[in-house]
PDB file of all heavy atoms in Angstrom:
ATOM      1  N   GLY A 911       8.446 -12.741 -14.142  1.00 82.00           N
ATOM      2  CA  GLY A 911       8.493 -12.684 -12.643  1.00 82.00           C
ATOM      3  C   GLY A 911       9.034 -11.351 -12.149  1.00 82.00           C
ATOM      4  O   GLY A 911       9.118 -10.358 -12.923  1.00 82.00           O
ATOM      5  N   PRO A 912       9.235 -11.198 -10.879  1.00 91.00           N
ATOM      6  CA  PRO A 912       9.661  -9.988 -10.280  1.00 91.00           C
ATOM      7  C   PRO A 912      11.099  -9.588 -10.659  1.00 91.00           C
ATOM      8  O   PRO A 912      11.952 -10.402 -10.809  1.00 91.00           O
ATOM      9  CB  PRO A 912       9.515 -10.129  -8.763  1.00 91.00           C
ATOM     10  CG  PRO A 912       9.490 -11.518  -8.522  1.00 91.00           C
ATOM     11  CD  PRO A 912       9.023 -12.128  -9.840  1.00 91.00           C
ATOM     12  N   SER A 913      11.428  -8.289 -10.932  1.00 91.00           N
ATOM     13  CA  SER A 913      12.717  -7.784 -11.012  1.00 91.00           C
ATOM     14  C   SER A 913      12.899  -6.532 -10.262  1.00 91.00           C
ATOM     15  O   SER A 913      11.887  -5.838 -10.069  1.00 91.00           O
ATOM     16  CB  SER A 913      13.036  -7.661 -12.534  1.00 91.00           C
ATOM     17  OG  SER A 913      12.036  -6.797 -13.134  1.00 91.00           O
ATOM     18  N   THR A 914      14.132  -6.191  -9.859  1.00 93.00           N
ATOM     19  CA  THR A 914      14.328  -4.917  -9.061  1.00 93.00           C
ATOM     20  C   THR A 914      15.193  -3.964  -9.783  1.00 93.00           C
ATOM     21  O   THR A 914      16.166  -4.364 -10.445  1.00 93.00           O
ATOM     22  CB  THR A 914      14.865  -5.413  -7.779  1.00 93.00           C
ATOM     23  OG1 THR A 914      14.114  -6.274  -7.097  1.00 93.00           O
ATOM     24  CG2 THR A 914      15.190  -4.127  -6.842  1.00 93.00           C
ATOM     25  N   HIS A 915      14.722  -2.675  -9.746  1.00 92.00           N
ATOM     26  CA  HIS A 915      15.416  -1.625 -10.641  1.00 92.00           C
ATOM     27  C   HIS A 915      15.463  -0.359  -9.867  1.00 92.00           C
ATOM     28  O   HIS A 915      14.605  -0.036  -9.077  1.00 92.00           O
ATOM     29  CB  HIS A 915      14.481  -1.348 -11.822  1.00 92.00           C
ATOM     30  CG  HIS A 915      14.072  -2.559 -12.556  1.00 92.00           C
ATOM     31  ND1 HIS A 915      14.953  -3.160 -13.553  1.00 92.00           N
ATOM     32  CD2 HIS A 915      13.004  -3.297 -12.498  1.00 92.00           C
ATOM     33  CE1 HIS A 915      14.341  -4.175 -13.987  1.00 92.00           C
ATOM     34  NE2 HIS A 915      13.165  -4.420 -13.405  1.00 92.00           N
ATOM     35  N   ALA A 916      16.602   0.491 -10.248  1.00 90.00           N
ATOM     36  CA  ALA A 916      16.703   1.868  -9.750  1.00 90.00           C
ATOM     37  C   ALA A 916      16.208   2.737 -10.999  1.00 90.00           C
ATOM     38  O   ALA A 916      15.709   3.852 -10.832  1.00 90.00           O
ATOM     39  CB  ALA A 916      18.196   2.203  -9.471  1.00 90.00           C
ATOM     40  N   ALA A 917      16.378   2.196 -12.214  1.00 92.00           N
ATOM     41  CA  ALA A 917      15.906   2.960 -13.383  1.00 92.00           C
ATOM     42  C   ALA A 917      15.286   1.989 -14.352  1.00 92.00           C
ATOM     43  O   ALA A 917      15.990   0.919 -14.590  1.00 92.00           O
ATOM     44  CB  ALA A 917      17.007   3.857 -13.906  1.00 92.00           C
ATOM     45  N   PHE A 918      14.315   2.264 -15.164  1.00 90.00           N
ATOM     46  CA  PHE A 918      13.731   1.367 -16.168  1.00 90.00           C
ATOM     47  C   PHE A 918      12.799   2.161 -17.041  1.00 90.00           C
ATOM     48  O   PHE A 918      12.326   3.169 -16.758  1.00 90.00           O
ATOM     49  CB  PHE A 918      13.117   0.132 -15.560  1.00 90.00           C
ATOM     50  CG  PHE A 918      11.953   0.516 -14.729  1.00 90.00           C
ATOM     51  CD1 PHE A 918      10.524   0.442 -15.183  1.00 90.00           C
ATOM     52  CD2 PHE A 918      12.062   0.723 -13.347  1.00 90.00           C
ATOM     53  CE1 PHE A 918       9.512   0.672 -14.362  1.00 90.00           C
ATOM     54  CE2 PHE A 918      10.956   1.013 -12.494  1.00 90.00           C
ATOM     55  CZ  PHE A 918       9.651   1.117 -13.054  1.00 90.00           C
ATOM     56  N   VAL A 919      12.457   1.396 -18.081  1.00 90.00           N
ATOM     57  CA  VAL A 919      11.320   1.972 -19.023  1.00 90.00           C
ATOM     58  C   VAL A 919      10.331   0.918 -19.021  1.00 90.00           C
ATOM     59  O   VAL A 919      10.699  -0.332 -19.285  1.00 90.00           O
ATOM     60  CB  VAL A 919      11.785   2.242 -20.425  1.00 90.00           C
ATOM     61  CG1 VAL A 919      10.635   2.646 -21.363  1.00 90.00           C
ATOM     62  CG2 VAL A 919      12.872   3.313 -20.484  1.00 90.00           C
ATOM     63  N   ALA A 920       8.980   1.201 -18.643  1.00 87.00           N
ATOM     64  CA  ALA A 920       8.064   0.185 -18.695  1.00 87.00           C
ATOM     65  C   ALA A 920       7.391   0.213 -20.135  1.00 87.00           C
ATOM     66  O   ALA A 920       7.135   1.304 -20.600  1.00 87.00           O
ATOM     67  CB  ALA A 920       6.959   0.478 -17.675  1.00 87.00           C
ATOM     68  N   GLY A 921       7.253  -0.883 -20.687  1.00 83.00           N
ATOM     69  CA  GLY A 921       6.710  -1.090 -22.054  1.00 83.00           C
ATOM     70  C   GLY A 921       5.187  -1.178 -21.927  1.00 83.00           C
ATOM     71  O   GLY A 921       4.562  -1.137 -20.979  1.00 83.00           O
ATOM     72  N   LEU A 922       4.610  -1.343 -23.179  1.00 83.00           N
ATOM     73  CA  LEU A 922       3.152  -1.653 -23.241  1.00 83.00           C
ATOM     74  C   LEU A 922       2.944  -3.059 -22.708  1.00 83.00           C
ATOM     75  O   LEU A 922       3.708  -3.957 -23.056  1.00 83.00           O
ATOM     76  CB  LEU A 922       2.815  -1.464 -24.779  1.00 83.00           C
ATOM     77  CG  LEU A 922       2.961  -0.203 -25.307  1.00 83.00           C
ATOM     78  CD1 LEU A 922       2.693  -0.122 -26.902  1.00 83.00           C
ATOM     79  CD2 LEU A 922       2.134   0.927 -24.650  1.00 83.00           C
ATOM     80  N   MET A 923       1.955  -3.125 -21.884  1.00 82.00           N
ATOM     81  CA  MET A 923       1.721  -4.472 -21.145  1.00 82.00           C
ATOM     82  C   MET A 923       0.152  -4.895 -21.406  1.00 82.00           C
ATOM     83  O   MET A 923      -0.661  -4.032 -21.606  1.00 82.00           O
ATOM     84  CB  MET A 923       1.930  -4.345 -19.684  1.00 82.00           C
ATOM     85  CG  MET A 923       3.463  -4.077 -19.359  1.00 82.00           C
ATOM     86  SD  MET A 923       3.594  -3.967 -17.632  1.00 82.00           S
ATOM     87  CE  MET A 923       2.617  -2.644 -17.177  1.00 82.00           C
ATOM     88  N   PRO A 924      -0.012  -6.159 -21.319  1.00 83.00           N
ATOM     89  CA  PRO A 924      -1.385  -6.758 -21.504  1.00 83.00           C
ATOM     90  C   PRO A 924      -2.144  -6.597 -20.202  1.00 83.00           C
ATOM     91  O   PRO A 924      -3.461  -6.820 -20.292  1.00 83.00           O
ATOM     92  CB  PRO A 924      -1.211  -8.110 -21.872  1.00 83.00           C
ATOM     93  CG  PRO A 924       0.069  -8.486 -21.183  1.00 83.00           C
ATOM     94  CD  PRO A 924       0.842  -7.300 -21.258  1.00 83.00           C
ATOM     95  N   GLY A 925      -1.634  -6.258 -19.169  1.00 87.00           N
ATOM     96  CA  GLY A 925      -2.335  -6.111 -17.949  1.00 87.00           C
ATOM     97  C   GLY A 925      -1.601  -5.257 -16.835  1.00 87.00           C
ATOM     98  O   GLY A 925      -0.463  -4.832 -17.218  1.00 87.00           O
ATOM     99  N   PRO A 926      -2.081  -5.127 -15.596  1.00 91.00           N
ATOM    100  CA  PRO A 926      -1.409  -4.303 -14.668  1.00 91.00           C
ATOM    101  C   PRO A 926      -0.110  -4.917 -14.143  1.00 91.00           C
ATOM    102  O   PRO A 926       0.204  -6.142 -14.246  1.00 91.00           O
ATOM    103  CB  PRO A 926      -2.409  -4.212 -13.511  1.00 91.00           C
ATOM    104  CG  PRO A 926      -3.233  -5.497 -13.706  1.00 91.00           C
ATOM    105  CD  PRO A 926      -3.171  -5.753 -15.161  1.00 91.00           C
ATOM    106  N   ALA A 927       0.753  -4.047 -13.649  1.00 91.00           N
ATOM    107  CA  ALA A 927       2.074  -4.565 -12.981  1.00 91.00           C
ATOM    108  C   ALA A 927       1.912  -4.218 -11.547  1.00 91.00           C
ATOM    109  O   ALA A 927       1.226  -3.209 -11.072  1.00 91.00           O
ATOM    110  CB  ALA A 927       3.277  -3.650 -13.659  1.00 91.00           C
ATOM    111  N   ASP A 928       2.643  -5.079 -10.678  1.00 93.00           N
ATOM    112  CA  ASP A 928       2.657  -4.877  -9.266  1.00 93.00           C
ATOM    113  C   ASP A 928       4.018  -4.348  -8.880  1.00 93.00           C
ATOM    114  O   ASP A 928       5.069  -4.767  -9.288  1.00 93.00           O
ATOM    115  CB  ASP A 928       2.328  -6.191  -8.414  1.00 93.00           C
ATOM    116  CG  ASP A 928       0.931  -6.619  -8.726  1.00 93.00           C
ATOM    117  OD1 ASP A 928       0.085  -5.816  -8.664  1.00 93.00           O
ATOM    118  OD2 ASP A 928       0.763  -7.788  -8.983  1.00 93.00           O
ATOM    119  N   THR A 929       4.026  -3.299  -8.016  1.00 93.00           N
ATOM    120  CA  THR A 929       5.386  -2.723  -7.652  1.00 93.00           C
ATOM    121  C   THR A 929       5.425  -2.654  -6.045  1.00 93.00           C
ATOM    122  O   THR A 929       4.341  -2.631  -5.476  1.00 93.00           O
ATOM    123  CB  THR A 929       5.457  -1.224  -8.158  1.00 93.00           C
ATOM    124  OG1 THR A 929       4.477  -0.446  -7.519  1.00 93.00           O
ATOM    125  CG2 THR A 929       5.453  -1.216  -9.667  1.00 93.00           C
ATOM    126  N   SER A 930       6.612  -2.677  -5.501  1.00 93.00           N
ATOM    127  CA  SER A 930       6.862  -2.572  -4.110  1.00 93.00           C
ATOM    128  C   SER A 930       8.223  -2.027  -3.824  1.00 93.00           C
ATOM    129  O   SER A 930       9.157  -2.093  -4.608  1.00 93.00           O
ATOM    130  CB  SER A 930       6.711  -3.973  -3.395  1.00 93.00           C
ATOM    131  OG  SER A 930       7.643  -4.860  -3.879  1.00 93.00           O
ATOM    132  N   PHE A 931       8.283  -1.357  -2.719  1.00 92.00           N
ATOM    133  CA  PHE A 931       9.538  -0.891  -2.192  1.00 92.00           C
ATOM    134  C   PHE A 931       9.441  -0.660  -0.643  1.00 92.00           C
ATOM    135  O   PHE A 931       8.338  -0.596  -0.075  1.00 92.00           O
ATOM    136  CB  PHE A 931       9.981   0.441  -2.860  1.00 92.00           C
ATOM    137  CG  PHE A 931       9.318   1.731  -2.379  1.00 92.00           C
ATOM    138  CD1 PHE A 931       9.866   2.508  -1.335  1.00 92.00           C
ATOM    139  CD2 PHE A 931       8.052   1.993  -2.810  1.00 92.00           C
ATOM    140  CE1 PHE A 931       9.163   3.614  -0.776  1.00 92.00           C
ATOM    141  CE2 PHE A 931       7.399   3.112  -2.169  1.00 92.00           C
ATOM    142  CZ  PHE A 931       7.895   3.934  -1.226  1.00 92.00           C
ATOM    143  N   ARG A 932      10.604  -0.511  -0.051  1.00 91.00           N
ATOM    144  CA  ARG A 932      10.687  -0.230   1.382  1.00 91.00           C
ATOM    145  C   ARG A 932      11.487   1.011   1.666  1.00 91.00           C
ATOM    146  O   ARG A 932      12.587   1.197   1.041  1.00 91.00           O
ATOM    147  CB  ARG A 932      11.323  -1.322   2.165  1.00 91.00           C
ATOM    148  CG  ARG A 932      10.505  -2.510   2.318  1.00 91.00           C
ATOM    149  CD  ARG A 932      11.128  -3.588   3.141  1.00 91.00           C
ATOM    150  NE  ARG A 932      10.363  -4.749   3.358  1.00 91.00           N
ATOM    151  CZ  ARG A 932       9.442  -4.925   4.317  1.00 91.00           C
ATOM    152  NH1 ARG A 932       9.292  -3.930   5.134  1.00 91.00           N
ATOM    153  NH2 ARG A 932       8.661  -5.897   4.374  1.00 91.00           N
ATOM    154  N   GLY A 933      11.152   1.864   2.576  1.00 89.00           N
ATOM    155  CA  GLY A 933      12.026   2.889   2.946  1.00 89.00           C
ATOM    156  C   GLY A 933      11.713   4.266   2.256  1.00 89.00           C
ATOM    157  O   GLY A 933      10.621   4.719   2.174  1.00 89.00           O
ATOM    158  N   LYS A 934      12.836   4.926   1.658  1.00 91.00           N
ATOM    159  CA  LYS A 934      12.797   6.133   1.076  1.00 91.00           C
ATOM    160  C   LYS A 934      13.043   6.048  -0.502  1.00 91.00           C
ATOM    161  O   LYS A 934      13.998   5.276  -0.919  1.00 91.00           O
ATOM    162  CB  LYS A 934      13.833   7.030   1.581  1.00 91.00           C
ATOM    163  CG  LYS A 934      13.748   7.350   3.057  1.00 91.00           C
ATOM    164  CD  LYS A 934      14.813   8.232   3.478  1.00 91.00           C
ATOM    165  CE  LYS A 934      14.745   8.410   5.045  1.00 91.00           C
ATOM    166  NZ  LYS A 934      15.878   9.159   5.649  1.00 91.00           N
ATOM    167  N   ARG A 935      12.185   6.659  -1.186  1.00 91.00           N
ATOM    168  CA  ARG A 935      12.388   6.750  -2.645  1.00 91.00           C
ATOM    169  C   ARG A 935      12.120   8.068  -3.167  1.00 91.00           C
ATOM    170  O   ARG A 935      11.156   8.659  -2.934  1.00 91.00           O
ATOM    171  CB  ARG A 935      11.303   5.741  -3.291  1.00 91.00           C
ATOM    172  CG  ARG A 935      11.894   4.531  -3.984  1.00 91.00           C
ATOM    173  CD  ARG A 935      10.844   3.753  -4.617  1.00 91.00           C
ATOM    174  NE  ARG A 935      11.024   3.904  -6.027  1.00 91.00           N
ATOM    175  CZ  ARG A 935      10.079   4.435  -6.944  1.00 91.00           C
ATOM    176  NH1 ARG A 935       8.931   4.840  -6.541  1.00 91.00           N
ATOM    177  NH2 ARG A 935      10.451   4.476  -8.076  1.00 91.00           N
ATOM    178  N   ASP A 936      13.069   8.571  -4.045  1.00 93.00           N
ATOM    179  CA  ASP A 936      12.865   9.809  -4.800  1.00 93.00           C
ATOM    180  C   ASP A 936      13.072   9.395  -6.284  1.00 93.00           C
ATOM    181  O   ASP A 936      13.911   8.648  -6.574  1.00 93.00           O
ATOM    182  CB  ASP A 936      14.016  10.794  -4.421  1.00 93.00           C
ATOM    183  CG  ASP A 936      13.966  11.283  -2.997  1.00 93.00           C
ATOM    184  OD1 ASP A 936      12.756  11.512  -2.470  1.00 93.00           O
ATOM    185  OD2 ASP A 936      15.022  11.367  -2.409  1.00 93.00           O
ATOM    186  N   CYS A 937      12.111   9.881  -7.122  1.00 94.00           N
ATOM    187  CA  CYS A 937      12.168   9.473  -8.487  1.00 94.00           C
ATOM    188  C   CYS A 937      11.522  10.481  -9.502  1.00 94.00           C
ATOM    189  O   CYS A 937      10.782  11.401  -8.929  1.00 94.00           O
ATOM    190  CB  CYS A 937      11.551   8.077  -8.665  1.00 94.00           C
ATOM    191  SG  CYS A 937       9.807   7.959  -8.200  1.00 94.00           S
TER     192      CYS A 937
END
C-alpha cells in the first residue's frame, strides 16, 4: 500500500509505482 517518505531507496519492482505530493519539493 501507500507510504510517505522524505527519503528512501526504491528497489527493483515488478511494475510501476505511483507517487504524489502537494506544495513544494526539493530533492
Side-chain angles (χ1 to χ4, degrees):
S913 55
T914 302
H915 309 277
F918 63 93
V919 177
L922 299 172
M923 296 182 297
D928 294 313
T929 63
S930 64
F931 79 95
R932 290 182 174 277
K934 298 177 182 179
R935 250 183 106 240
D936 296 318
C937 61

